[in-house]
Amino acid sequence: MADIAGISAEQAHREQALVEEVVASFERCQDDRLRVVLQALTRHLHAFLREVRLTEEEWNAAIAFLTEAGHITTDTRQEFVLLSDVLGASMQVVGMNNPEVGDATEATVFGPFFVADAPEIPLGGDMSFGAAGEPCLIEGTVTGTDGRPIPHARIEVWEADEDGFYDVQYTDGRLAARAHLFSDADGSYRFWGLFPTPYPIPHDGPVGRMLQATGRSPMRASHLHFMVTAPGCRTLVTHIFVRGDEQLAIGDSVFGVKESLIKEFVHSAAGTPTPDGRDVGGREWSRARFDIVLPPGEGGGLHVSG
Ligand code: BEZ
Ligand code: FE
């Protein structure tokens, strides 16, 4: 039991007795994992309450906060994912469940904007589907940690448009800036997307108010999401970030940046021919390389999309 300053030994004893009573109430739970998790949750929750000496007013405010998070959550808006993200809980869970294996690509947060069953595009195809932004060619390989190419790996990609919004944040039902493709027989892949832009996580709800009250920014560093799956390999959920993006120095609101995921994006002036002959309408375009390395393992983590 931690020492708590300013309370009598009798008070501390009463508080500890309650913790032990609640922990014991789970003792008959038949599911070992559930029992362990709930008993630890009880201990840590009470330790927190006792450490900060939470007032009844603060407890009511916390309940109101969670109630509001529930009310604002819909099929396309997941306030609890945001809360987990801004508290660093999402990244902690990602880190614990994706330990480093050789030179395997690092994982980062899933975020709330993945949509299952995004359309398939061919190698070299365009995942923007008309979303606004500078055309950007992304190319690389998918290999295992043993260096062998992984053919036909499924690569899901999704990103915000240049105004900082995902398609699902618009109310017109559009589908844009998301797709899936498969790596080629030699493990290579390429597709056209958009040069990533920084954007704020949704901050018009209780999580946004919490960030504002604590002087924190809702901004995320510019990024493009990937989820890569292949038989016999650990599923990779990650992003690539843009070297030189000012937001990298300022900070990422969900703690998702890892140095190994920051990539060089090279811009080409308007009118420069593209390597695959794609017509980008005479606009400026950019290009980045992302070589993906998957460790052996099982696919399929638990992902909440919203
Ligand atoms: C995202 O990158 O899409 C995201 C991640 C965490 C919270 C909100 C958005
Ligand atoms: Fe994102």
Side-chain angles (χ1 to χ4, degrees), residues 81-82 85-86 90 109-114 158 166 199-202 220-221 223 225 239 253-254:
V81 172
L82 293 184
D85 292 340
V86 302
S90 302
V109 283
F110 191 57
F113 295 125
F114 173 74
W158 67 105
Y166 286 82
Y199 68 86
I201 64 168
R220 288 224 58 200
H223 61 273
H225 294 259
H239 324 329
S253 54
V254 303

Side-chain angles (χ1 to χ4, degrees), residues 12-291:
H13 183 78
R14 271 195 299 276
E15 292 173 5
Q16 186 59 26
L18 176 60
V19 178
E20 283 161 20
E21 190 182 344
V22 182
V23 168
S25 76
F26 291 116
E27 206 47 58
R28 281 184 305 280
C29 175
Q30 297 296 304
D31 180 329
D32 286 347
R33 178 67 179 159
L34 185 60
R35 184 181 63 254
V36 166
V37 168
L38 287 174
Q39 289 184 327
L41 173 67
T42 301
R43 285 193 206 95
H44 288 273
L45 174 62
H46 283 255
F48 156 71
L49 296 171
R50 297 173 74 196
E51 178 187 324
V52 302
R53 309 306 298 165
L54 204 79
T55 67
E56 288 173 289
E57 197 182 8
E58 288 164 341
W59 182 244
N60 289 336
I63 298 290
F65 177 91
L66 292 174
T67 304
E68 199 185 333
H71 285 158
I72 203 171
T73 293
T74 65
D75 286 349
T76 54
R77 167 69 184 264
Q78 232 303 352
E79 197 73 0
F80 291 103
V81 172
L82 293 184
L83 181 58
S84 159
D85 292 340
V86 302
L87 291 176
S90 302
M91 272 310 277
Q92 194 70 271
V93 173
V94 167
M96 289 187 303
N97 288 280
N98 294 273
E100 252 181 61
V101 180
D103 60 351
T105 304
E106 290 191 280
T108 187
V109 283
F110 191 57
F113 295 125
F114 173 74
V115 172
D117 304 321
E120 180 177 348
I121 54 168
L123 281 164
D126 182 6
M127 60 78 93
S128 71
F129 292 108
E134 178 185 298
C136 181
L137 175 65
I138 312 288
E139 57 202 325
T141 54
V142 185
T143 58
T145 40
D146 57 5
R148 270 187 295 185
I150 300 180
H152 317 303
R154 183 180 172 113
I155 306 170
E156 302 270 354
V157 286
W158 67 105
E159 65 178 324
D161 65 16
E162 71 178 2
D163 297 315
F165 295 109
Y166 286 82
D167 53 1
V168 292
Q169 293 178 284
Y170 292 96
T171 52
D172 57 9
R174 74 183 71 176
L175 188 151
R178 66 176 73 247
H180 75 272
L181 65 155
F182 293 92
S183 58
D184 213 344
D186 63 355
S188 66
Y189 75 90
R190 66 211 76 91
F191 66 90
W192 283 88
L194 303 171
F195 180 74
T197 9
Y199 68 86
I201 64 168
H203 57 291
D204 56 343
V207 170
R209 276 209 322 279
M210 184 186 90
L211 292 178
Q212 193 177 25
T214 53
R216 281 180 52 183
S217 163
M219 293 302 290
R220 288 224 58 200
S222 312
H223 61 273
L224 196 162
H225 294 259
F226 282 75
M227 178 161 68
V228 186
T229 48
C233 294
R234 188 165 83 190
T235 294
L236 172 68
V237 173
T238 197
H239 324 329
I240 51 172
F241 297 91
V242 180
R243 187 164 303 287
D245 174 17
E246 284 175 13
Q247 198 60 41
L248 286 174
I250 301 167
D252 180 48
S253 54
V254 303
F255 311 100
V257 179
K258 292 184 171 173
E259 177 58 35
S260 68
L261 300 175
I262 302 174
K263 303 296 171 191
E264 214 65 57
F265 283 70
V266 179
H267 289 276
S268 286
T272 311
T274 56
D276 59 355
R278 173 167 288 269
D279 178 3
V280 292
R283 287 180 295 165
E284 190 177 331
W285 56 276
S286 49
R287 182 174 190 174
R289 183 166 187 93
F290 179 35
D291 291 324

